[in-house]
Amino acid sequence: MDHDSDEDAFNQLFIWPYLHLIRKSLKVHGCEGYFVQGESFLDSMTQQLKATGLYSDERSRYKTDGLIKLFGLKKLELLLLETSGHFSNDDNVKITLDHHKGMYGILAMLKCIAYEFPFASIEKFSHAKVFFLHAADTRLNLWSVRFQSEGVFDLWRESCLEILPLFKDRVSYLPLLIEFCWNTKVISVLE
């Protein structure tokens, strides 16, 4: 498969296998994660649109390139994937659009967590964190959002991985990949 051909090739070769690894190692309070790949609907956004009266029909649903959800915990969405075109696509308009789209998505995810646990204290809620994995150009950027005091939401880039697709780069790439996957797993469980 040509890794530069299209967005689907980028996802299949360099992103979805990593997210399957991360989700296999995820366990939050006895709930295991599962990964939904390709054109999955972000239920959090649908719930928020319906709550505000802006939902019109199936066409207004938010489609992601992948989601990690939790089994047994009201199927809460934990990580959202947006892929900005094919591998090495440097179209800044597409990258910026997908970045903004992902940010709106994770804010909806965080808001749904607040709705699911309405009696949680602000202190407890400020520890809830949702993630946005943005695959753009040749990098994977892992972003997180959490609620801070006085209604402020903190956006933070947790990690970044430069993808090295050539076989000759495997020795230098493999430790970086393992570190990225491990860090993603650790911060999503401990935070």
Side-chain angles (χ1 to χ4, degrees):
M1 183 181 298
D2 180 15
H3 62 270
D4 282 334
S5 62
D6 58 19
E7 187 174 301
D8 195 43
F10 188 13
N11 283 329
Q12 287 183 37
L13 290 173
F14 300 118
I15 303 166
W16 291 344
Y18 308 156
L19 289 175
H20 279 292
L21 284 172
I22 291 165
R23 92 73 208 150
K24 282 182 183 180
S25 63
L26 259 180
K27 193 170 230 181
V28 180
H29 300 291
C31 301
E32 293 185 17
Y34 66 100
F35 176 60
V36 184
Q37 65 188 37
E39 297 296 315
S40 53
F41 292 112
L42 184 63
D43 293 330
S44 298
M45 185 64 79
T46 303
Q47 289 174 18
Q48 295 306 311
L49 289 172
K50 286 180 179 178
T52 57
L54 296 173
Y55 183 81
S56 57
D57 57 24
E58 292 291 315
R59 292 177 295 174
S60 64
R61 294 184 74 185
Y62 181 120
K63 286 186 180 178
T64 70
D65 294 313
L67 279 172
I68 292 181
K69 295 182 176 189
L70 292 176
F71 269 128
L73 195 59
K74 302 184 182 200
K75 295 186 180 177
L76 291 178
E77 295 154 334
L78 183 63
L79 185 143
L80 161 70
L81 167 67
E82 278 299 329
T83 306
S84 296
H86 63 83
F87 180 78
S88 73
N89 178 24
D90 60 356
D91 179 4
N92 284 330
V93 173
K94 172 72 171 152
I95 292 170
T96 302
L97 176 69
D98 282 351
H99 184 75
H100 286 92
K101 181 181 171 190
M103 295 311 305
Y104 283 116
I106 61 175
L107 286 174
M109 290 162 51
L110 197 58
K111 195 166 183 181
C112 279
I113 291 171
Y115 282 172
E116 290 293 335
F117 301 99
F119 299 111
S121 68
I122 294 293
E123 179 185 339
K124 290 288 185 185
F125 182 65
S126 68
H127 292 289
K129 197 185 255 193
V130 290
F131 300 92
F132 164 44
L133 183 62
H134 189 197
D137 197 5
T138 59
R139 288 180 306 281
L140 296 178
N141 293 295
L142 181 67
W143 297 88
S144 70
V145 164
R146 72 167 20 160
F147 177 78
Q148 298 296 318
S149 63
E150 299 180 22
V152 175
F153 291 88
D154 187 22
L155 170 65
W156 189 259
R157 188 169 79 168
E158 299 281 355
S159 189
C160 182
L161 174 69
E162 184 74 31
I163 298 172
L164 305 173
L166 301 178
F167 186 72
K168 68 178 182 156
D169 296 327
R170 71 191 179 283
V171 173
S172 59
Y173 180 61
L174 188 58
L176 298 173
L177 174 62
I178 291 170
E179 180 182 7
F180 180 81
C181 291
W182 180 258
N183 286 340
T184 302
K185 180 234 185 234
V186 168
I187 61 175
S188 62
V189 172
L190 295 178
E191 296 288 333

